[in-house]
mmCIF file with all atom_site columns, all heavy atoms in Angstrom:
data_model
loop_
_atom_site.group_PDB
_atom_site.id
_atom_site.type_symbol
_atom_site.label_atom_id
_atom_site.label_alt_id
_atom_site.label_comp_id
_atom_site.label_asym_id
_atom_site.label_entity_id
_atom_site.label_seq_id
_atom_site.pdbx_PDB_ins_code
_atom_site.Cartn_x
_atom_site.Cartn_y
_atom_site.Cartn_z
_atom_site.occupancy
_atom_site.B_iso_or_equiv
_atom_site.pdbx_formal_charge
_atom_site.auth_seq_id
_atom_site.auth_comp_id
_atom_site.auth_asym_id
_atom_site.auth_atom_id
_atom_site.pdbx_PDB_model_num
ATOM 1  N N   . PHE A 1 262 ? 1.432  -9.906  22.713 1.00 0.00 ? 609 PHE A N   1
ATOM 2  C CA  . PHE A 1 262 ? 0.025  -9.570  22.532 1.00 0.00 ? 609 PHE A CA  1
ATOM 3  C C   . PHE A 1 262 ? -0.404 -10.153 21.205 1.00 0.00 ? 609 PHE A C   1
ATOM 4  O O   . PHE A 1 262 ? 0.039  -9.684  20.159 1.00 0.00 ? 609 PHE A O   1
ATOM 5  C CB  . PHE A 1 262 ? -0.186 -8.056  22.534 1.00 0.00 ? 609 PHE A CB  1
ATOM 6  C CG  . PHE A 1 262 ? 0.095  -7.444  23.875 1.00 0.00 ? 609 PHE A CG  1
ATOM 7  C CD1 . PHE A 1 262 ? 1.381  -7.079  24.221 1.00 0.00 ? 609 PHE A CD1 1
ATOM 8  C CD2 . PHE A 1 262 ? -0.919 -7.271  24.795 1.00 0.00 ? 609 PHE A CD2 1
ATOM 9  C CE1 . PHE A 1 262 ? 1.658  -6.540  25.465 1.00 0.00 ? 609 PHE A CE1 1
ATOM 10 C CE2 . PHE A 1 262 ? -0.657 -6.736  26.037 1.00 0.00 ? 609 PHE A CE2 1
ATOM 11 C CZ  . PHE A 1 262 ? 0.636  -6.363  26.378 1.00 0.00 ? 609 PHE A CZ  1
ATOM 12 N N   . GLU A 1 263 ? -1.216 -11.205 21.256 1.00 0.00 ? 610 GLU A N   1
ATOM 13 C CA  . GLU A 1 263 ? -1.630 -11.867 20.025 1.00 0.00 ? 610 GLU A CA  1
ATOM 14 C C   . GLU A 1 263 ? -3.006 -11.363 19.619 1.00 0.00 ? 610 GLU A C   1
ATOM 15 O O   . GLU A 1 263 ? -3.990 -11.580 20.334 1.00 0.00 ? 610 GLU A O   1
ATOM 16 C CB  . GLU A 1 263 ? -1.655 -13.385 20.254 1.00 0.00 ? 610 GLU A CB  1
ATOM 17 C CG  . GLU A 1 263 ? -2.101 -14.143 19.015 1.00 0.00 ? 610 GLU A CG  1
ATOM 18 C CD  . GLU A 1 263 ? -2.222 -15.639 19.262 1.00 0.00 ? 610 GLU A CD  1
ATOM 19 O OE1 . GLU A 1 263 ? -1.416 -16.199 20.003 1.00 0.00 ? 610 GLU A OE1 1
ATOM 20 O OE2 . GLU A 1 263 ? -3.154 -16.229 18.684 1.00 0.00 ? 610 GLU A OE2 1
ATOM 21 N N   . GLN A 1 264 ? -3.079 -10.698 18.516 1.00 0.00 ? 611 GLN A N   1
ATOM 22 C CA  . GLN A 1 264 ? -4.345 -10.200 17.945 1.00 0.00 ? 611 GLN A CA  1
ATOM 23 C C   . GLN A 1 264 ? -5.055 -9.194  18.854 1.00 0.00 ? 611 GLN A C   1
ATOM 24 O O   . GLN A 1 264 ? -6.239 -8.934  18.660 1.00 0.00 ? 611 GLN A O   1
ATOM 25 C CB  . GLN A 1 264 ? -5.321 -11.364 17.631 1.00 0.00 ? 611 GLN A CB  1
ATOM 26 C CG  . GLN A 1 264 ? -4.781 -12.439 16.736 1.00 0.00 ? 611 GLN A CG  1
ATOM 27 C CD  . GLN A 1 264 ? -4.710 -12.050 15.276 1.00 0.00 ? 611 GLN A CD  1
ATOM 28 O OE1 . GLN A 1 264 ? -4.331 -10.934 14.955 1.00 0.00 ? 611 GLN A OE1 1
ATOM 29 N NE2 . GLN A 1 264 ? -5.046 -12.959 14.384 1.00 0.00 ? 611 GLN A NE2 1
ATOM 30 N N   . VAL A 1 265 ? -4.366 -8.685  19.851 1.00 0.00 ? 612 VAL A N   1
ATOM 31 C CA  . VAL A 1 265 ? -4.955 -7.693  20.745 1.00 0.00 ? 612 VAL A CA  1
ATOM 32 C C   . VAL A 1 265 ? -4.026 -6.485  20.735 1.00 0.00 ? 612 VAL A C   1
ATOM 33 O O   . VAL A 1 265 ? -2.869 -6.608  21.107 1.00 0.00 ? 612 VAL A O   1
ATOM 34 C CB  . VAL A 1 265 ? -5.040 -8.229  22.189 1.00 0.00 ? 612 VAL A CB  1
ATOM 35 C CG1 . VAL A 1 265 ? -5.545 -7.148  23.128 1.00 0.00 ? 612 VAL A CG1 1
ATOM 36 C CG2 . VAL A 1 265 ? -5.920 -9.459  22.257 1.00 0.00 ? 612 VAL A CG2 1
ATOM 37 N N   . ILE A 1 266 ? -4.536 -5.368  20.275 1.00 0.00 ? 613 ILE A N   1
ATOM 38 C CA  . ILE A 1 266 ? -3.687 -4.168  20.250 1.00 0.00 ? 613 ILE A CA  1
ATOM 39 C C   . ILE A 1 266 ? -3.820 -3.484  21.605 1.00 0.00 ? 613 ILE A C   1
ATOM 40 O O   . ILE A 1 266 ? -4.894 -2.973  21.950 1.00 0.00 ? 613 ILE A O   1
ATOM 41 C CB  . ILE A 1 266 ? -4.092 -3.215  19.111 1.00 0.00 ? 613 ILE A CB  1
ATOM 42 C CG1 . ILE A 1 266 ? -4.054 -3.974  17.769 1.00 0.00 ? 613 ILE A CG1 1
ATOM 43 C CG2 . ILE A 1 266 ? -3.174 -1.999  19.081 1.00 0.00 ? 613 ILE A CG2 1
ATOM 44 C CD1 . ILE A 1 266 ? -4.471 -3.146  16.566 1.00 0.00 ? 613 ILE A CD1 1
ATOM 45 N N   . PRO A 1 267 ? -2.747 -3.516  22.397 1.00 0.00 ? 614 PRO A N   1
ATOM 46 C CA  . PRO A 1 267 ? -2.871 -3.004  23.765 1.00 0.00 ? 614 PRO A CA  1
ATOM 47 C C   . PRO A 1 267 ? -2.921 -1.479  23.802 1.00 0.00 ? 614 PRO A C   1
ATOM 48 O O   . PRO A 1 267 ? -2.283 -0.812  22.986 1.00 0.00 ? 614 PRO A O   1
ATOM 49 C CB  . PRO A 1 267 ? -1.596 -3.517  24.444 1.00 0.00 ? 614 PRO A CB  1
ATOM 50 C CG  . PRO A 1 267 ? -0.600 -3.676  23.342 1.00 0.00 ? 614 PRO A CG  1
ATOM 51 C CD  . PRO A 1 267 ? -1.386 -4.014  22.103 1.00 0.00 ? 614 PRO A CD  1
ATOM 52 N N   . GLY A 1 268 ? -3.683 -0.956  24.751 1.00 0.00 ? 615 GLY A N   1
ATOM 53 C CA  . GLY A 1 268 ? -3.736 0.496   24.947 1.00 0.00 ? 615 GLY A CA  1
ATOM 54 C C   . GLY A 1 268 ? -2.655 0.975   25.890 1.00 0.00 ? 615 GLY A C   1
ATOM 55 O O   . GLY A 1 268 ? -2.213 2.115   25.824 1.00 0.00 ? 615 GLY A O   1
#
Side-chain angles (χ1 to χ4, degrees):
F609 293 86
E610 179 184 323
Q611 305 284 41
V612 175
I613 304 179

